Structures are given as structure tokens and as C-alpha cells.
Amino acid sequence: MSQALVRMAAGWLLGLMLAVAGAIVSVNLVNNSVASPQQPVREYLDALQKGEGERALGLLRASVPDADAAMLDGTALQTSASRIANVKLGDAESRGGKRVMVPMEYTIDGSRLRTEFLLESTGTEWLFFNKWAFVPAALPTVDVTVVNSSDATLNGIPVNMPGGRNTFAVFYPGEYEASLNGQFFAAPPTRATVAGRDVPAAPLNLLTHATEELNQAVASRVKEFLDKCAAEADKQQRLQPDCPFYHATNNRVVDGTIKWGITEYPKISIEPFDGKWVVAPLDGKARITAQQVDLFTGAVSALNVVHDFSFTTRLDIDGDTIKVTPLLSF
């Protein structure tokens, strides 16, 4: 064989070796990037951030528990994922067999957290490229309760709360915020972080309270009742009117001089009790002025007395309608 042919064969062999080496390097690069165990995690996080619940569920290969699915798509899902920041995926760690664990560190509201994703090898593509998938498992859940309400807001969307409680299936990681912002009743927001499928989330308990609008509405109706009662007592010239307040005396009070007035209106406190809303006992002060005659001496003197009074009411709310019914005992 001529030297020229030898040199040509050597060149071909070198080229072939370089091509094979390049192919091996390319395969390794692909297996360490788009075909790595971290790639399904990246795709899953992308689906969460875009609110694509169906895609996220398919990637996670998760089953949905018997729970409300309101958090598994759209705005609610995007909101839970939007609070995830500073994401760092770690190297895959063997878990035996064909399984690996991919750790993810991140922050939510400034707190450093860690989630571990379990994946398994499902074969190769094009003979060389690894295929990885999440190990199937059920989604975690978050329990929510609310005092005296059948609805609430969770991650920005209205949700039903039959009997004041509900359980929601959720993706992880993520943060879930519950609140109640009604016209007459509200509850401050409370948050829970779901870090993993096997990490129980703290329940979200909404402590409902009456809004200032409701307090003012009830106060207005109570004031209206007391002012009307005092005016009627003046009109009838009664010491013991059909009101929460009265005056008892052994003297004779001169007709035409009796005048009642409320000097201190009750402070309103509305609290939950036995599945309803009740107004705490209403305490106030009323003043009576008049001219009185001592039956023993006949002396005339001015009557000017402030009396404490207390009464209860029944509160009924139907939609936007508020009804306050005084409950008086005589």
C-alpha cells in the first residue's frame, strides 16, 4: 500500500475517532441538560408558573385526592407559584434501583426552603438519551376553616366552605393564602406553605369578625331605637316607659315636665356564638329631668338623675338587609 493511501486511511480513522468522541461528548451534554433528571422538574415549575394545571399534573404523574380542585389551575395555581424565588436545583442523588432524588432550594417570603423530587428512569430515546419521570404519588391537601361563613377567598379566588370548612388539593411547592372580605364579615389573611408531597401543611383557620360597616349599621339602629323610645316616653310623660330605662320614686312627678335623653349610647360588640352572630348585651346611660313634689312636705324640687340600663337584641342578616330586634323584659 502506498504511503499516500496509508496517510489517507489514517486521516479517515482520526476523523472517525474525533466524530465518535464528539458524539459521546454531545450525548453526555444532552444527558446532563435536557435529558437530565432536573429537566422534568424545570418543566413542572414552568407549568406551575403559567397556571397550566393539566400539564403540571401530567408531568408530576400525580393522582388527585378526594378534595376540592379549585387550586389546581389558572390564577390560583399561578399565585401559589409566583411567590417562589431564588430557585436552585441540586445534583441528582441515587435512591436505589433506577430512582434518583433531585433537591430544589428556594425562598418564599424570604424563608429558605427545600423540596425533594423523586424521579425514576423510564428508558432512553434514540438509544442514547435518558428519559426521566416523576414517581407517581397523590397530591397533598390544605385544610381551610372559617367561622360562621360558607365562603372564603383562597389565593385570590372565591371558594365554597360548606359548614365552614373545606379541603383543597394543591400542587407543591407553593404558598396558599386564605381570607374573607365580605361586606359585613371579614377575616385577616392567613398563609400556609406546602413544601412537599409528604410534608403536611398547616391548616388555614380564618377567625371571622364583624366589619366596621356592620358595627356602624347596628349602632345606628340601636341609637334610632333608643332615641325613639326616649321621645315616646316624653310624649306619654312616663317614668317607666316601654324602654330599657325607667325611674322609680315615692315623689309625685309633675306632668308635662318629664324629659328623657340618652347620655351614653351602647358600644357595639358582635361575636360568633353557636353558629350565629350575636350582639353582646348593650349597656348605656339615660337621663331623666322633671319637677317633683315631696308627698310628705309638699316641697318642689328638680329631678335630674342618670340611670344605667342594659338590654339585649336579636340580629338578623339577610343579604344586604340588617334587622336589629330589641329584646326587653318588663
Side-chain angles (χ1 to χ4, degrees), residues 183-184 214 217 221 315-324:
Q183 180 181 6
F184 299 138
L214 178 59
R221 284 158 176 76
L315 176 62
D316 296 298
I317 300 175
D318 184 9
D320 296 335
T321 303
I322 300 170
K323 184 178 180 182
V324 179

Side-chain angles (χ1 to χ4, degrees), residues 127-154:
L127 300 178
F128 303 107
F129 303 132
N130 297 327
K131 292 173 61 179
W132 296 93
F134 289 95
V135 174
L139 290 177
T141 59
V142 172
D143 293 328
V144 183
T145 65
V146 59
V147 174
N148 281 13
S149 180
S150 58
D151 54 57
T153 297
L154 188 57

